[in-house]
Amino acid sequence: MSYHQLGIVAQLADDLPGAREWYLKSLEIKERRGNEGGAALTYALLGTLEHAAGDGPAAKQWFEKALSIFEKRGDKVNIAKVKALLDSLVK
């Protein structure tokens, strides 16, 4: 199981600090390897985590970072998903 997957499991179990730790470990590896697409997915997950923790500004920063990469890559599906997540912060 990857760090990314461990983060998802922790987040589903409402262990937000544990999820954050796993996501950041995953992100460190992805960024070091130049895995931009994978990093963008992790940025989006960190955004959902911060949103769940009640930190809208932090969530927005992670979502915007993910969105920038998805737009650069032309990933229309993930662009739509992240825009919907950003819209949910306003409501």
Side-chain angles (χ1 to χ4, degrees):
M1 188 173 283
S2 70
Y3 290 145
H4 179 93
Q5 292 168 322
L6 290 168
I8 292 170
V9 170
Q11 188 169 355
L12 290 172
D14 289 325
D15 176 9
L16 301 185
R20 184 179 293 108
E21 184 178 330
W22 290 120
Y23 289 150
L24 291 173
K25 284 182 181 187
S26 172
L27 185 58
E28 179 184 340
I29 293 166
K30 290 171 183 172
E31 288 177 337
R32 188 176 45 217
R33 292 183 177 172
N35 181 352
E36 193 173 59
L41 291 171
T42 303
Y43 297 146
L45 283 170
L46 282 160
T48 64
L49 182 140
E50 296 301 348
H51 183 55
D55 190 344
K60 184 179 181 203
Q61 287 180 335
W62 287 118
F63 289 147
E64 288 175 343
K65 197 165 185 173
L67 182 61
S68 173
I69 293 170
F70 291 139
E71 287 176 337
K72 183 174 130 183
R73 297 170 63 88
D75 185 338
K76 293 179 182 179
V77 170
N78 282 313
I79 290 169
K81 287 179 182 178
V82 173
K83 283 185 176 183
L85 290 166
L86 280 165
D87 287 345
S88 75
L89 294 176
V90 178
K91 297 176 182 174

